[in-house]
Amino acid sequence: MDSQSQNTSLQRLQNVEKEIVRVLELAGGVMDEMANPTGPRKELINNHCLEFMQLIKDIQVTLRDEIKSACEYRPFEKCDYGSRITNEICCKKLDYVISQLDGMKQTIDEYHIAV
C-alpha cells in the first residue's frame, strides 16, 4: 500500500465518518418527526428512511472494501529480516553444537591419554 493508496483509504474512511454522522442526523430527524404533536409527515419519514438505508448500505460496502484491503496489505512482503534472523539463529545453534562436539572430543582424547 503506497502513500497514494493510504491517502485514498483515509479519505474513504473520513467519508464514512461523515456518512455515519448523516445517518445519526436522519435517525434523529425521524424521531423528531414521530414526536411531532400534529403527527408525522409520511413523505418526510419515507425520504429520511430511504436515505438512511442507502447510507447504511454505502457504509457497509466501503468498510467491507477497506477491511479487505487492509487484510491484503503486506508491508514487509519484500523484507528479508525474517530469513536473516532465522539464519543467524541457525548459525548460533551450529556454533553451540560445534562447541559441544569439541568438548566431547577433548573428553575422549583425555580418556585415551589416561588409559
Side-chain angles (χ1 to χ4, degrees):
M1 190 180 280
D2 58 9
S3 178
Q4 175 77 19
S5 60
Q6 283 179 333
N7 286 339
T8 304
S9 180
L10 287 175
Q11 289 168 349
R12 283 193 296 265
L13 290 174
Q14 286 173 339
N15 289 337
V16 165
E17 184 180 9
K18 290 174 187 173
E19 289 173 341
I20 290 171
V21 169
R22 179 65 184 146
V23 161
L24 294 173
E25 289 172 349
L26 289 169
V30 168
M31 289 172 56
D32 285 345
E33 191 60 31
M34 295 299 280
N36 190 345
T38 60
R41 293 173 285 182
K42 186 177 179 180
E43 186 176 319
L44 182 78
I45 298 284
N46 284 341
N47 289 339
H48 277 23
C49 287
L50 286 172
E51 186 178 352
F52 178 91
M53 291 308 295
Q54 186 58 52
L55 283 170
I56 292 294
K57 288 177 187 175
D58 294 346
I59 290 168
Q60 277 183 311
V61 168
T62 303
L63 290 177
R64 187 179 306 120
D65 290 344
E66 289 305 312
I67 290 169
K68 182 181 176 191
S69 175
C71 290
E72 293 171 349
Y73 179 49
R74 306 274 189 257
F76 303 109
E77 188 174 317
K78 296 179 181 170
C79 180
D80 66 344
Y81 176 79
S83 57
R84 282 189 299 119
I85 291 300
T86 301
N87 191 27
E88 284 183 39
I89 291 170
C90 286
C91 287
K92 296 290 183 189
K93 287 179 181 179
L94 285 173
D95 288 342
Y96 177 75
V97 169
I98 289 170
S99 72
Q100 294 298 309
L101 289 172
D102 286 342
M104 289 170 61
K105 183 179 184 284
Q106 184 177 0
T107 303
I108 291 170
D109 289 344
E110 289 172 3
Y111 176 77
H112 286 321
I113 293 174
V115 175

